[in-house]
Amino acid sequence: MKNENNMPCKELIARGRVQGVGFRWFVMQCAIRHQIKGYVHNRGDGSVFIMASGETSDLARFVEQVKNGTNHAVVASLEDRTCDYNGDFGDFSIR
C-alpha cells in the first residue's frame, strides 16, 4: 500500500546479529542516502523493526543494503512485507 504522499511503504524485520552493533545507525544512514522516510527500532525478541517509505527504486536499493548488513551486523533473515501506513513520516528516525 502507499502513504498519503503516494509512496510505497514496507515493514522490514531484520533478524541475526542486529542489536548492539550499530545496525540502527547503519539503517538510518542508508535511509538518508536513498531518501527513505520512516523509522527503525529494536524489538524485545532481538530483532530490528524498520518502517520505510520512498520511491520504488530507492526503496529497493535501501532494502538490498539493509539485507547486506555491515562488518559487525549480520542479517540472517529479512522479513519484507508491504504495509498499510497512510500518514507521512516526515523523515527517518531511530526510536
Side-chain angles (χ1 to χ4, degrees):
M1 181 151 276
K2 298 183 179 195
N3 63 22
E4 71 182 18
N5 291 323
N6 208 27
M7 296 284 203
C9 184
K10 288 189 172 272
E11 292 178 350
L12 306 171
I13 299 173
R15 292 183 175 84
R17 190 174 62 196
V18 292
Q19 288 193 14
V21 291
F23 184 66
R24 289 180 302 157
W25 184 85
F26 164 74
V27 169
M28 185 175 72
Q29 296 307 307
C30 291
I32 291 167
R33 190 173 316 118
H34 295 293
Q35 300 176 1
I36 299 299
K37 311 286 184 181
Y39 62 89
V40 58
H41 73 88
N42 286 340
R43 295 180 5 155
D45 65 0
S47 66
V48 172
F49 177 84
I50 304 162
M51 178 78 80
S53 178
E55 295 288 344
T56 302
S57 59
D58 293 331
L59 199 52
R61 285 191 290 273
F62 169 76
V63 170
E64 274 307 306
Q65 281 195 322
V66 169
K67 277 184 194 176
N68 291 333
T70 69
N71 290 336
H72 301 290
V74 178
V75 178
S77 69
L78 186 68
E79 188 176 326
D80 177 347
R81 62 182 163 213
T82 302
C83 69
D84 1 339
Y85 180 74
N86 291 319
D88 183 14
F89 295 111
D91 60 5
F92 197 90
S93 63
I94 296 175
R95 295 186 178 174

